[in-house]
Amino acid sequence: MRLSELTPGQTGVITKILGHGAFRKRVIEMGFVKGREVTSVLNAPLQDPVKYSIMDYEVSLRRSEGALIEVVSPEEWNAETHDKGHADTEEHDTENQGGFRKDRVINVALIGNPNCGKTSLFNIVSGAHEHVGNYAGVTVGAKAGALRYKGYKFNIVDLPGTYSLSAYSPEELYVMRYLREETPDVIVNVVVASNLERNLYLTSELIDMNRSMVIDLNMYDELKRSGNNLDYSTLGKMLGVPIVPTTASTGEGVEQLLDTVIDVYEMRHKDVRHIHVKMRPEIESAVGILKDAFKKDETIGHHFSPRYLAIKFLEGDPEIERTLSPYDSFPEWKRMRDEEAANVKRELGEDAASAIAGEKYGFIRGALAETMAENEKQEEKSTKIIDSFVTNKLFGFPIFLLVMWLMFWATFQLGSYPMEWIEAGVSWISSLAGTHMPDGPLKDLLLDGIIGGVGGVIVFLPNILILYAFISFMEDSGYMARVAFIMDKLMHRMGLHGKSFIPLVMGFGCNVPAIMSTRIIESKSSRLITILINPFMSCSARIPIYVLLVGAFFPAHGSLIFLGLYLLGIIVAVATAWMLRRFWFKKDETPFVMELPPYRIPTAKATMRNMWAKAKQYLRKMGGLILVASIIIWALSYFPQRTPEDVPAEYLTEALTEMQAVDSIKTDSNDAIALATKEYQQEKSILGEIGHLCEPVVRPLGFDWKISVSLLAGAAAKEVVVSTLGVLYVGDDDADALAKRLKSPSPVSGQPPFTPLKAMVFMVFVLIYFPCIASIAAIVKETGSWKYGAFSIIYNTALAWLLSFIVYRIGLLF
């Protein structure tokens, strides 16, 4: 029987893994080994993928992948005699600890499974404000911090979450290479106290590596609440590694952890000893032969212990093969490896990688059997209750759409109140400066350039913070992983991977980190497609544009307009992904293997820390890029200066005639001449000439030269679009909001700069056209080719023009 044949609630015992390559390695390291019980929990709303429970945690697999795992019923398995696991170790002298230092500077590497709390610990210890997400892959690169404690300086590196030390994912490869090249003084292996059996697999590989290490038993509060009792002191002695219980979210136990790191660094901790996780004689014989061969070369153990190299080489790890390939003896080593691997398979009936993984899990099971007293009382977990709704085939998608609508409603409606307060403050500052400053270029720069530009963007800070709060909550709570679960089949039909949905939703915050987070996708083609379609996700930089125009022209339907724009971006992204998969990239059959972490309520402290970090980032952007861009745009629109004498008579006559035709505008001749002069000044400025040069391209969309200039300015950052409109449309003697200016008739032409139709077309264009410079740089960096960056600029802009033209022409019919 295959795993895919189990019905929800049915349990099977794994007998064989039929897959190969990355899929086989990934499921083995996640605990899918011979003799392990696995239960089918529920199907996704579209019946694929399927959520399974194994070793007290949950993971999702597609049915096609479940069909590669053979299982039998527990009754059939128990009818035979099987090894129940052992905790056999052998103590050895240190083979290679590497160089150590006594300069009171300790280089610490945080290593652990995804969702183990590494980044929370890193934030607590280093004072950093890295984002913590409750799904695999949120940390896609090393983050460094520092701490001074008891006379020691700790240089701390938070490495990506990884299930093992293999080379089958970017995270695993990154961790392996870091450990090889950097050689940290002490490794802090962060494990989840409530799910030790799965987490300790990585620990067993670190033990093989023979590095100075401390185990951080994180989320210890969850273990205590479960009623289970762990003798972690005895377990640490068995492993030869000190274990310290902590709760990183609150900081409990962190000082004890740091004290233990110091003791291990100074080589004075009594529990530290080097052990070997003993495996079956057939495996130990093969490992011993390879290890002895490696020991003949004195340079080979400088980075990894010979035993670790022998085990990984026997497993066929490609990164270890690349590490060993430069040595002259590599052909002989490879011949020996192939011969020993064949012997293992012949004797044990399974390949070396599966056999080694099974032995390690057997060791872990035996160690926990001696040190863990489990509470037999089984209670319905909140995770199962919540999942019965959010992953239900009837409620899953409606709940997701409701959450998205609620996010946009809160962003627009709730954000409008603090937005009004900030806007009032900006208007007061503008009025104060306009009243007390003498006329001149400096006053014009302050009012039109700085306040009109930066002030017109900073008012949207509350909206952006609300959006980030929602995204942060979905990530931290574990709901984001469920969204990827229910969306996988749909995404697969579009030519994407289920994990692609996580970077796409992250793109609602900012496209740059979202593009970087695509590293969690194992498939190269799916990763490239996800990168290219990510700019279609409305990032927070576009929110000021949406809030400005929606508030001015569609105040009664704000949340629906917001939702419609975001859905349009998703539809465009999906269509683009389908075309890229259909005509550019080959069909992708990458497995969907993703842990579904338990739900956790994000702490208010973590949420506020994240929001404050985003606020600081946004304010730095205001005081840096947008301030500079606003000043440049003001200068380009201010020079060369024009006087009333410079204005051609025919232009002045036409302007005065237009003003007299607008009944709502009352002005004497001097004011009319001044307004006409200012309009002529802007039109003939450097900025105006640039705008007129681009105007023929956007004229079919109903846009004029000012709008074309604002769109060009969006290349720096999308917020600059609003600041550019502020510079061009807000006068120095008027403190009214920019929104009122955009819908009020011009004193010169008598026509408002925007109409509801123009506003809608403008938002569609901004949604789709070329990404900002930072996003383009991220695309080039992550793809490794400037061609993808050029594709994003050309394709996105052409598509934006086409869709905007269609919207404009349809709108004119009504």
Side-chain angles (χ1 to χ4, degrees), residues 675-719:
L675 288 170
T677 303
K678 183 175 181 179
E679 186 76 15
Y680 182 78
Q681 146 71 29
Q682 280 194 337
E683 191 170 343
K684 297 302 179 182
S685 65
I686 301 172
L687 193 66
E689 295 296 341
I690 296 173
H692 282 298
L693 189 65
C694 302
E695 188 176 20
V697 178
V698 297
R699 177 61 68 182
L701 309 180
F703 300 160
D704 59 14
W705 69 268
K706 291 184 179 181
I707 296 177
S708 69
V709 166
S710 70
L711 292 171
L712 285 175
K718 292 298 180 280
E719 298 99 334

Side-chain angles (χ1 to χ4, degrees), residues 494-495 529 572-585 791 795 799:
M494 301 167 188
I529 293 174
V572 171
V574 166
T576 300
W578 182 87
M579 288 190 293
L580 288 173
R581 178 66 72 189
R582 177 71 175 81
F583 300 109
W584 196 337
F585 297 100
F791 170 83
Y795 172 78
L799 186 60

Side-chain angles (χ1 to χ4, degrees), residues 57 135 324 368 373 433 490 567 573-574 591 614 813:
Y57 81 102
Y135 60 84
L324 297 175
L368 293 178
L490 197 59
L567 287 177
V574 166
K614 296 302 180 184
L813 299 177

Side-chain angles (χ1 to χ4, degrees), residues 400-401 404 408 508 560-573 767:
F400 171 65
L401 291 175
M404 298 300 289
F408 301 136
F508 291 153
L560 291 177
I561 297 294
F562 259 68
L563 183 60
L565 287 168
Y566 279 72
L567 287 177
L568 176 61
I570 293 172
I571 292 170
V572 171
L767 165 70

Side-chain angles (χ1 to χ4, degrees), residues 21 29 64 117 138 215-216 247 318 322 344 353 373 388 413 440 450 499-500 509 580 615 619 662 697 706 711 728 794:
E29 67 193 25
S64 59
V138 70
I215 295 176
D216 173 15
T247 303
R322 282 192 290 269
V344 169
S388 65
Q413 296 291 345
I450 298 176
K499 288 185 180 180
S500 297
L580 288 173
L619 292 174
V662 180
V697 178
K706 291 184 179 181
L711 292 171
L728 293 175
I794 297 170

